[in-house]
Short mmCIF file of all heavy atoms in Angstrom, two decimals:
data_model
loop_
_atom_site.label_atom_id
_atom_site.label_comp_id
_atom_site.label_asym_id
_atom_site.label_seq_id
_atom_site.Cartn_x
_atom_site.Cartn_y
_atom_site.Cartn_z
N GLU Q 54 -8.15 -11.58 11.12
CA GLU Q 54 -8.25 -10.13 11.03
C GLU Q 54 -8.59 -9.68 9.62
O GLU Q 54 -9.44 -8.80 9.41
CB GLU Q 54 -6.95 -9.48 11.49
CG GLU Q 54 -6.72 -9.55 12.98
CD GLU Q 54 -5.38 -8.97 13.39
OE1 GLU Q 54 -4.61 -8.51 12.52
OE2 GLU Q 54 -5.11 -8.96 14.60
N VAL Q 55 -7.93 -10.26 8.63
CA VAL Q 55 -8.18 -9.86 7.24
C VAL Q 55 -9.59 -10.26 6.81
O VAL Q 55 -10.28 -9.50 6.13
CB VAL Q 55 -7.11 -10.47 6.31
CG1 VAL Q 55 -7.47 -10.25 4.85
CG2 VAL Q 55 -5.76 -9.87 6.60
N MET Q 56 -10.03 -11.44 7.21
CA MET Q 56 -11.39 -11.86 6.83
C MET Q 56 -12.44 -11.00 7.53
O MET Q 56 -13.48 -10.68 6.95
CB MET Q 56 -11.59 -13.34 7.13
CG MET Q 56 -10.75 -14.25 6.25
SD MET Q 56 -10.86 -13.89 4.48
CE MET Q 56 -12.51 -14.41 4.11
N THR Q 57 -12.18 -10.60 8.77
CA THR Q 57 -13.10 -9.70 9.46
C THR Q 57 -13.15 -8.36 8.73
O THR Q 57 -14.23 -7.79 8.54
CB THR Q 57 -12.65 -9.48 10.92
OG1 THR Q 57 -12.62 -10.74 11.58
CG2 THR Q 57 -13.58 -8.54 11.66
N ALA Q 58 -12.00 -7.87 8.29
CA ALA Q 58 -11.97 -6.62 7.53
C ALA Q 58 -12.74 -6.78 6.21
O ALA Q 58 -13.45 -5.85 5.78
CB ALA Q 58 -10.53 -6.21 7.25
N SER Q 59 -12.64 -7.92 5.57
CA SER Q 59 -13.37 -8.15 4.32
C SER Q 59 -14.88 -8.17 4.55
O SER Q 59 -15.64 -7.58 3.78
CB SER Q 59 -12.93 -9.48 3.69
OG SER Q 59 -11.61 -9.41 3.26
N VAL Q 60 -15.30 -8.86 5.61
CA VAL Q 60 -16.74 -8.91 5.93
C VAL Q 60 -17.26 -7.50 6.23
O VAL Q 60 -18.30 -7.08 5.70
CB VAL Q 60 -17.00 -9.86 7.12
CG1 VAL Q 60 -18.42 -9.73 7.62
CG2 VAL Q 60 -16.71 -11.30 6.72
N LEU Q 61 -16.53 -6.76 7.05
CA LEU Q 61 -16.97 -5.41 7.40
C LEU Q 61 -16.91 -4.47 6.20
O LEU Q 61 -17.73 -3.56 6.08
CB LEU Q 61 -16.14 -4.87 8.56
CG LEU Q 61 -16.35 -5.60 9.89
CD1 LEU Q 61 -15.40 -5.07 10.95
CD2 LEU Q 61 -17.79 -5.51 10.35
N GLY Q 62 -15.94 -4.68 5.30
CA GLY Q 62 -15.88 -3.89 4.07
C GLY Q 62 -17.10 -4.15 3.20
O GLY Q 62 -17.68 -3.22 2.63
N GLY Q 63 -17.49 -5.41 3.07
CA GLY Q 63 -18.70 -5.73 2.30
C GLY Q 63 -19.94 -5.13 2.92
O GLY Q 63 -20.82 -4.61 2.22
N LEU Q 64 -20.02 -5.17 4.25
CA LEU Q 64 -21.15 -4.56 4.95
C LEU Q 64 -21.17 -3.06 4.73
O LEU Q 64 -22.23 -2.46 4.48
CB LEU Q 64 -21.06 -4.89 6.44
CG LEU Q 64 -22.16 -4.31 7.33
CD1 LEU Q 64 -23.52 -4.86 6.94
CD2 LEU Q 64 -21.87 -4.60 8.79
N ARG Q 65 -20.00 -2.42 4.78
CA ARG Q 65 -19.91 -0.96 4.59
C ARG Q 65 -20.42 -0.56 3.21
O ARG Q 65 -21.18 0.38 3.06
CB ARG Q 65 -18.47 -0.50 4.77
CG ARG Q 65 -18.27 0.98 4.50
CD ARG Q 65 -16.83 1.37 4.72
NE ARG Q 65 -15.91 0.59 3.93
CZ ARG Q 65 -15.38 1.00 2.77
NH1 ARG Q 65 -15.71 2.17 2.28
NH2 ARG Q 65 -14.54 0.23 2.13
N TRP Q 66 -20.00 -1.29 2.17
CA TRP Q 66 -20.44 -0.93 0.82
C TRP Q 66 -21.94 -1.13 0.66
O TRP Q 66 -22.62 -0.32 0.01
CB TRP Q 66 -19.68 -1.75 -0.22
CG TRP Q 66 -18.32 -1.22 -0.47
CD1 TRP Q 66 -17.14 -1.81 -0.16
CD2 TRP Q 66 -17.98 0.04 -1.07
NE1 TRP Q 66 -16.09 -1.00 -0.51
CE2 TRP Q 66 -16.57 0.14 -1.08
CE3 TRP Q 66 -18.73 1.09 -1.59
CZ2 TRP Q 66 -15.91 1.24 -1.60
CZ3 TRP Q 66 -18.06 2.19 -2.10
CH2 TRP Q 66 -16.67 2.27 -2.11
N SER Q 67 -22.49 -2.17 1.24
CA SER Q 67 -23.93 -2.41 1.13
C SER Q 67 -24.72 -1.34 1.89
O SER Q 67 -25.73 -0.84 1.39
CB SER Q 67 -24.28 -3.79 1.66
OG SER Q 67 -23.69 -4.78 0.86
N LEU Q 68 -24.26 -0.98 3.08
CA LEU Q 68 -24.96 0.06 3.84
C LEU Q 68 -24.85 1.42 3.15
O LEU Q 68 -25.80 2.21 3.18
CB LEU Q 68 -24.41 0.13 5.26
CG LEU Q 68 -24.72 -1.08 6.14
CD1 LEU Q 68 -24.05 -0.94 7.50
CD2 LEU Q 68 -26.22 -1.29 6.30
N THR Q 69 -23.71 1.69 2.51
CA THR Q 69 -23.57 2.93 1.75
C THR Q 69 -24.55 2.95 0.59
O THR Q 69 -25.16 3.98 0.30
CB THR Q 69 -22.12 3.08 1.25
OG1 THR Q 69 -21.24 3.08 2.36
CG2 THR Q 69 -21.94 4.36 0.46
N GLN Q 70 -24.71 1.82 -0.07
CA GLN Q 70 -25.67 1.74 -1.18
C GLN Q 70 -27.09 2.01 -0.68
O GLN Q 70 -27.85 2.71 -1.33
CB GLN Q 70 -25.59 0.36 -1.84
CG GLN Q 70 -26.51 0.19 -3.02
CD GLN Q 70 -26.10 1.05 -4.20
OE1 GLN Q 70 -24.93 1.38 -4.35
NE2 GLN Q 70 -27.05 1.41 -5.02
N ILE Q 71 -27.43 1.47 0.47
CA ILE Q 71 -28.76 1.72 1.04
C ILE Q 71 -28.93 3.20 1.34
O ILE Q 71 -29.98 3.79 1.04
CB ILE Q 71 -28.97 0.86 2.31
CG1 ILE Q 71 -29.10 -0.61 1.93
CG2 ILE Q 71 -30.20 1.33 3.07
CD1 ILE Q 71 -29.08 -1.55 3.12
N LEU Q 72 -27.91 3.83 1.92
CA LEU Q 72 -27.99 5.27 2.22
C LEU Q 72 -28.17 6.10 0.96
O LEU Q 72 -28.93 7.07 0.94
CB LEU Q 72 -26.71 5.73 2.94
CG LEU Q 72 -26.61 5.44 4.41
CD1 LEU Q 72 -25.24 5.86 4.93
CD2 LEU Q 72 -27.70 6.15 5.19
N LEU Q 73 -27.48 5.72 -0.10
CA LEU Q 73 -27.57 6.50 -1.34
C LEU Q 73 -28.89 6.29 -2.08
O LEU Q 73 -29.32 7.17 -2.82
CB LEU Q 73 -26.40 6.16 -2.26
CG LEU Q 73 -25.03 6.64 -1.78
CD1 LEU Q 73 -23.93 6.11 -2.68
CD2 LEU Q 73 -24.98 8.16 -1.70
N GLU Q 74 -29.52 5.15 -1.87
CA GLU Q 74 -30.78 4.87 -2.57
C GLU Q 74 -32.00 5.46 -1.89
O GLU Q 74 -33.01 5.72 -2.53
CB GLU Q 74 -30.98 3.36 -2.72
CG GLU Q 74 -30.10 2.74 -3.77
CD GLU Q 74 -30.35 1.27 -3.92
OE1 GLU Q 74 -31.11 0.68 -3.12
OE2 GLU Q 74 -29.75 0.67 -4.84
N ARG Q 75 -31.94 5.69 -0.60
CA ARG Q 75 -33.10 6.19 0.14
C ARG Q 75 -33.09 7.71 0.21
O ARG Q 75 -32.31 8.30 0.94
CB ARG Q 75 -33.10 5.60 1.56
CG ARG Q 75 -33.09 4.10 1.57
CD ARG Q 75 -34.36 3.54 2.12
NE ARG Q 75 -34.46 2.12 1.87
CZ ARG Q 75 -34.15 1.19 2.74
NH1 ARG Q 75 -33.70 1.52 3.92
NH2 ARG Q 75 -34.30 -0.08 2.43
N GLU Q 76 -33.94 8.33 -0.55
CA GLU Q 76 -33.99 9.79 -0.56
C GLU Q 76 -34.49 10.35 0.77
O GLU Q 76 -34.18 11.47 1.12
CB GLU Q 76 -34.86 10.27 -1.71
CG GLU Q 76 -34.24 10.02 -3.06
CD GLU Q 76 -35.06 10.60 -4.19
OE1 GLU Q 76 -35.82 11.55 -3.94
OE2 GLU Q 76 -34.92 10.09 -5.31
N SER Q 77 -35.28 9.57 1.49
CA SER Q 77 -35.82 10.04 2.77
C SER Q 77 -34.73 10.28 3.81
O SER Q 77 -34.92 11.03 4.76
CB SER Q 77 -36.84 9.04 3.32
OG SER Q 77 -36.21 7.81 3.58
N LEU Q 78 -33.56 9.65 3.62
CA LEU Q 78 -32.45 9.84 4.55
C LEU Q 78 -31.65 11.10 4.25
O LEU Q 78 -30.82 11.51 5.04
CB LEU Q 78 -31.53 8.62 4.53
CG LEU Q 78 -32.17 7.31 5.01
CD1 LEU Q 78 -31.20 6.16 4.80
CD2 LEU Q 78 -32.56 7.42 6.46
N GLY Q 79 -31.88 11.71 3.10
CA GLY Q 79 -31.21 12.96 2.75
C GLY Q 79 -29.79 12.80 2.28
O GLY Q 79 -29.06 13.78 2.17
N MET Q 80 -29.37 11.59 1.99
CA MET Q 80 -28.00 11.37 1.53
C MET Q 80 -28.00 10.73 0.15
O MET Q 80 -27.31 9.76 -0.10
CB MET Q 80 -27.24 10.48 2.51
CG MET Q 80 -26.96 11.14 3.82
SD MET Q 80 -25.81 10.18 4.77
CE MET Q 80 -26.58 10.22 6.35
N ASN Q 81 -28.79 11.29 -0.74
CA ASN Q 81 -28.94 10.68 -2.06
C ASN Q 81 -27.82 11.10 -3.02
O ASN Q 81 -27.88 10.81 -4.19
CB ASN Q 81 -30.31 11.00 -2.65
CG ASN Q 81 -30.57 12.49 -2.70
OD1 ASN Q 81 -29.80 13.28 -2.16
ND2 ASN Q 81 -31.65 12.88 -3.34
N ASN Q 82 -26.82 11.78 -2.53
CA ASN Q 82 -25.67 12.08 -3.37
C ASN Q 82 -24.40 11.80 -2.58
O ASN Q 82 -24.36 11.97 -1.37
CB ASN Q 82 -25.84 13.49 -3.92
CG ASN Q 82 -24.90 14.55 -3.48
OD1 ASN Q 82 -23.79 14.29 -3.06
ND2 ASN Q 82 -25.37 15.77 -3.58
N PRO Q 83 -23.36 11.32 -3.25
CA PRO Q 83 -22.16 10.88 -2.55
C PRO Q 83 -21.49 11.97 -1.70
O PRO Q 83 -20.97 11.69 -0.63
CB PRO Q 83 -21.22 10.43 -3.67
CG PRO Q 83 -22.12 10.10 -4.80
CD PRO Q 83 -23.29 11.02 -4.68
N ILE Q 84 -21.55 13.21 -2.16
CA ILE Q 84 -20.92 14.30 -1.40
C ILE Q 84 -21.65 14.51 -0.08
O ILE Q 84 -21.02 14.72 0.97
CB ILE Q 84 -20.89 15.60 -2.23
CG1 ILE Q 84 -20.12 15.41 -3.53
CG2 ILE Q 84 -20.32 16.75 -1.43
CD1 ILE Q 84 -18.67 15.03 -3.35
N ALA Q 85 -22.98 14.43 -0.10
CA ALA Q 85 -23.75 14.59 1.14
C ALA Q 85 -23.44 13.46 2.11
O ALA Q 85 -23.30 13.69 3.31
CB ALA Q 85 -25.24 14.63 0.83
N SER Q 86 -23.31 12.25 1.60
CA SER Q 86 -23.01 11.13 2.50
C SER Q 86 -21.61 11.29 3.11
O SER Q 86 -21.42 11.02 4.29
CB SER Q 86 -23.15 9.79 1.77
OG SER Q 86 -22.19 9.68 0.75
N ILE Q 87 -20.65 11.74 2.33
CA ILE Q 87 -19.31 11.99 2.87
C ILE Q 87 -19.36 13.09 3.93
O ILE Q 87 -18.75 12.98 4.99
CB ILE Q 87 -18.32 12.35 1.74
CG1 ILE Q 87 -18.05 11.12 0.88
CG2 ILE Q 87 -17.01 12.90 2.31
CD1 ILE Q 87 -17.26 11.41 -0.37
N PHE Q 88 -20.12 14.15 3.65
CA PHE Q 88 -20.23 15.27 4.57
C PHE Q 88 -20.78 14.85 5.92
O PHE Q 88 -20.31 15.29 6.97
CB PHE Q 88 -21.12 16.36 3.94
CG PHE Q 88 -21.32 17.57 4.81
CD1 PHE Q 88 -20.33 18.51 4.94
CD2 PHE Q 88 -22.50 17.73 5.50
CE1 PHE Q 88 -20.51 19.63 5.74
CE2 PHE Q 88 -22.70 18.84 6.32
CZ PHE Q 88 -21.69 19.79 6.43
N PHE Q 89 -21.78 13.98 5.93
CA PHE Q 89 -22.41 13.57 7.18
C PHE Q 89 -21.70 12.40 7.86
O PHE Q 89 -21.70 12.29 9.08
CB PHE Q 89 -23.88 13.20 6.95
CG PHE Q 89 -24.75 14.39 6.68
CD1 PHE Q 89 -25.31 14.58 5.44
CD2 PHE Q 89 -24.98 15.34 7.67
CE1 PHE Q 89 -26.10 15.69 5.18
CE2 PHE Q 89 -25.77 16.45 7.43
CZ PHE Q 89 -26.32 16.63 6.18
N LEU Q 90 -21.11 11.51 7.09
CA LEU Q 90 -20.51 10.31 7.67
C LEU Q 90 -19.07 10.49 8.12
O LEU Q 90 -18.62 9.80 9.03
CB LEU Q 90 -20.60 9.15 6.69
CG LEU Q 90 -22.00 8.65 6.37
CD1 LEU Q 90 -21.96 7.54 5.35
CD2 LEU Q 90 -22.71 8.19 7.63
N THR Q 91 -18.33 11.39 7.51
CA THR Q 91 -16.92 11.56 7.84
C THR Q 91 -16.69 11.95 9.30
O THR Q 91 -15.82 11.36 9.95
CB THR Q 91 -16.25 12.56 6.89
OG1 THR Q 91 -16.39 12.07 5.56
CG2 THR Q 91 -14.79 12.75 7.21
N PRO Q 92 -17.43 12.89 9.89
CA PRO Q 92 -17.20 13.19 11.31
C PRO Q 92 -17.45 11.98 12.22
O PRO Q 92 -16.70 11.75 13.18
CB PRO Q 92 -18.19 14.32 11.61
CG PRO Q 92 -18.47 14.94 10.30
CD PRO Q 92 -18.38 13.83 9.30
N LEU Q 93 -18.48 11.20 11.91
CA LEU Q 93 -18.76 10.01 12.70
C LEU Q 93 -17.64 8.99 12.58
O LEU Q 93 -17.19 8.42 13.58
CB LEU Q 93 -20.10 9.41 12.26
CG LEU Q 93 -20.50 8.12 12.96
CD1 LEU Q 93 -20.74 8.38 14.44
CD2 LEU Q 93 -21.73 7.54 12.30
N MET Q 94 -17.15 8.78 11.37
CA MET Q 94 -16.06 7.82 11.17
C MET Q 94 -14.79 8.31 11.86
O MET Q 94 -14.05 7.50 12.45
CB MET Q 94 -15.82 7.60 9.68
CG MET Q 94 -16.94 6.85 9.00
SD MET Q 94 -16.60 6.41 7.29
CE MET Q 94 -16.56 7.99 6.49
N ALA Q 95 -14.52 9.61 11.82
CA ALA Q 95 -13.33 10.15 12.48
C ALA Q 95 -13.43 9.96 13.99
O ALA Q 95 -12.44 9.60 14.64
CB ALA Q 95 -13.17 11.63 12.13
N ALA Q 96 -14.60 10.19 14.56
CA ALA Q 96 -14.78 10.02 16.00
C ALA Q 96 -14.58 8.56 16.41
O ALA Q 96 -13.91 8.26 17.41
CB ALA Q 96 -16.16 10.50 16.43
N ILE Q 97 -15.13 7.64 15.63
CA ILE Q 97 -14.97 6.21 15.92
C ILE Q 97 -13.50 5.81 15.82
O ILE Q 97 -12.97 5.08 16.67
CB ILE Q 97 -15.85 5.36 14.99
CG1 ILE Q 97 -17.32 5.57 15.35
CG2 ILE Q 97 -15.47 3.89 15.06
CD1 ILE Q 97 -18.29 4.97 14.36
N LEU Q 98 -12.81 6.31 14.81
CA LEU Q 98 -11.39 6.00 14.64
C LEU Q 98 -10.56 6.58 15.78
O LEU Q 98 -9.63 5.94 16.27
CB LEU Q 98 -10.90 6.54 13.30
CG LEU Q 98 -9.50 6.15 12.87
CD1 LEU Q 98 -9.37 4.63 12.80
CD2 LEU Q 98 -9.18 6.77 11.54
N LEU Q 99 -10.91 7.78 16.22
CA LEU Q 99 -10.20 8.41 17.33
C LEU Q 99 -10.35 7.61 18.63
O LEU Q 99 -9.37 7.35 19.33
CB LEU Q 99 -10.73 9.84 17.52
CG LEU Q 99 -9.92 10.78 18.39
CD1 LEU Q 99 -8.56 11.03 17.77
CD2 LEU Q 99 -10.67 12.08 18.57
N VAL Q 100 -11.57 7.17 18.91
CA VAL Q 100 -11.81 6.38 20.13
C VAL Q 100 -11.13 5.02 20.03
O VAL Q 100 -10.50 4.55 20.98
CB VAL Q 100 -13.32 6.23 20.38
CG1 VAL Q 100 -13.60 5.22 21.47
CG2 VAL Q 100 -13.93 7.58 20.73
#
Side-chain angles (χ1 to χ4, degrees):
E54 287 177 0
V55 171
M56 292 310 290
T57 301
S59 293
V60 170
L61 293 175
L64 179 63
R65 176 179 56 99
W66 281 112
S67 296
L68 292 177
T69 301
Q70 182 67 27
I71 290 170
L72 281 175
L73 291 174
E74 285 182 353
R75 303 247 168 98
E76 291 184 25
S77 62
L78 296 174
M80 291 192 225
N81 55 352
N82 113 25
I84 300 300
S86 64
I87 290 172
F88 179 77
F89 289 112
L90 293 178
T91 301
L93 178 64
M94 290 187 293
I97 290 171
L98 188 58
L99 194 64
V100 170

